[in-house]
Amino acid sequence: MNPATAAAHAAPSDQGEEVFDLFRRPQGRSRARPDERAVIDSARTSELTVNGKSAVVYRWGDGERPVLLVHGWESRASRYAKTIARLTELGYSPVAFDAPGHGEATGDSTTMIEYRDIIVELHRAHGDFEAVVGHSFGVTATYFALQHGVRTGRIVAISPVPDFAYLVDSFCTAARLSAEVNEELRGRIEREVYPGEADMWTRFSVFHGTAGAHIPLLVIHDENDGSVDPGQGVRLAEFFGARLVTTRRFGHLRILGAPQVVEEITEFVTAGATEPGRKTEVVAG
């Protein structure tokens, strides 16, 4: 769902078809970097089938105190390598996955439903999570999974996408697409990606339902995020009365590996709820 890619490639003559394809398929597969490889290689791996597609599941630790880490669109589990290493040191059991079309998984795309089904199955296998850490699209998927019985003691939302409607609208705005193309894209998503999912624009949202209303939440967002408006992190924190950590110069992806951010995540996971409403700034080194 890379708006820059869409803007560069979508021609007026076949804009609707090409935009739909660009939106629903990750543009380029993201693989583990050398500095992430040792953590990934130390995991116990398995495959999990959802909707005829295979996700890759990674597990560390002894199974006690499981913490689920949910990656975003065009991303992968290994981006959490530093957080995984730290949580393992502290005696937690991190669980992560590459969704279909991402990282080491097969396929060329995935959906919110498949993310949910993966999270639900991992919850069934590991029991209630001590915490769930989500990034970007992974935050939306986390809250959607809560609507379907997943339980966790706390949530960390990094660079959060608040709902699926925001994802479509920001994609179209960044690619300078018309309102007509936006409407066509929404229609094709409803018919071809999520058929039978009534009221998806309401349900695929962190603000829908009450499943996450009383779960302690930490929101982390970078003021230089070029993919998700930092105001969305503010919006999420204010809605849930959560603590907001604002960072600088990490952007949308580097934030996951920043030492200060890893420390904020692990402190929250280990200590639980902290003072709500308090804003903290973490400055890039």
Side-chain angles (χ1 to χ4, degrees):
M1 301 176 194
N2 189 319
T5 304
H9 288 84
S13 60
D14 58 354
Q15 195 173 52
E17 179 67 32
E18 191 160 356
V19 165
F20 176 63
D21 192 61
L22 286 167
F23 180 84
R24 70 190 182 96
R25 298 181 193 279
Q27 302 302 304
R29 187 176 291 270
S30 180
R31 306 283 189 180
R33 299 193 307 253
D35 63 334
E36 301 166 346
R37 179 51 62 187
V39 170
I40 290 298
D41 288 347
S42 69
R44 301 183 303 281
T45 62
S46 60
E47 289 191 356
L48 176 60
T49 300
V50 288
N51 195 29
K53 305 174 187 177
S54 292
V56 178
V57 177
Y58 306 90
R59 299 175 174 87
W60 295 264
D62 60 6
E64 297 296 319
R65 299 196 290 175
V67 175
L68 178 66
L69 302 110
V70 185
H71 70 74
W73 194 260
E74 297 182 348
S75 190
R76 59 188 187 270
S78 66
R79 285 201 178 273
Y80 286 113
K82 292 180 181 178
T83 296
I84 289 166
R86 183 66 180 133
L87 288 171
T88 304
E89 289 175 358
L90 293 170
Y92 289 82
S93 298
V95 180
F97 63 90
D98 288 336
H102 294 75
E104 302 299 325
T106 59
D108 61 2
S109 189
T110 191
T111 67
M112 182 75 72
I113 301 299
E114 291 167 2
Y115 259 77
R116 177 203 65 192
D117 290 348
I118 292 168
I119 296 171
V120 167
E121 177 58 26
L122 293 176
H123 178 256
R124 186 200 64 76
H126 296 276
D128 293 358
F129 298 112
E130 291 283 315
V132 177
V133 182
H135 176 242
S136 193
F137 181 85
V139 176
T140 327
T142 294
Y143 276 88
F144 185 50
L146 294 179
Q147 298 174 31
H148 294 83
V150 171
R151 293 184 299 273
T152 181
R154 60 210 66 158
I155 298 171
V156 180
I158 307 169
S159 314
V161 170
D163 48 50
F164 203 83
Y166 172 83
L167 203 61
V168 175
D169 291 344
S170 61
F171 173 87
C172 291
T173 297
R176 299 185 295 279
L177 301 173
S178 68
E180 290 75 16
V181 174
N182 183 311
E183 190 65 26
E184 179 183 351
L185 178 58
R186 282 176 175 249
R188 293 197 64 173
I189 290 168
E190 291 171 0
R191 294 188 304 271
E192 301 180 37
V193 183
Y194 297 103
E197 292 296 327
D199 205 16
M200 58 165 284
W201 304 105
T202 299
R203 293 188 303 111
F204 295 179
S205 171
V206 299
F207 306 115
H208 179 69
T210 59
H214 303 294
I215 299 174
L217 169 68
L218 170 66
V219 181
I220 307 176
H221 211 139
D222 195 85
E223 65 180 26
N224 305 115
D225 191 328
S227 297
V228 180
D229 180 1
Q232 299 305 318
V234 175
R235 179 185 173 202
L236 182 61
E238 290 181 347
F239 183 86
F240 287 108
R243 180 176 173 226
L244 171 66
V245 172
T246 302
T247 67
R248 242 181 222 165
R249 297 193 298 275
F250 292 133
H252 188 66
L253 292 176
R254 286 200 309 120
I255 192 171
L256 293 176
Q260 303 98 316
V261 173
V262 172
E263 190 63 23
E264 290 283 355
I265 294 169
T266 53
E267 283 186 4
F268 181 74
V269 169
T270 57
T274 55
E275 180 186 348
R278 182 165 64 90
K279 293 188 178 182
T280 301
E281 184 174 271
V282 181
V283 181

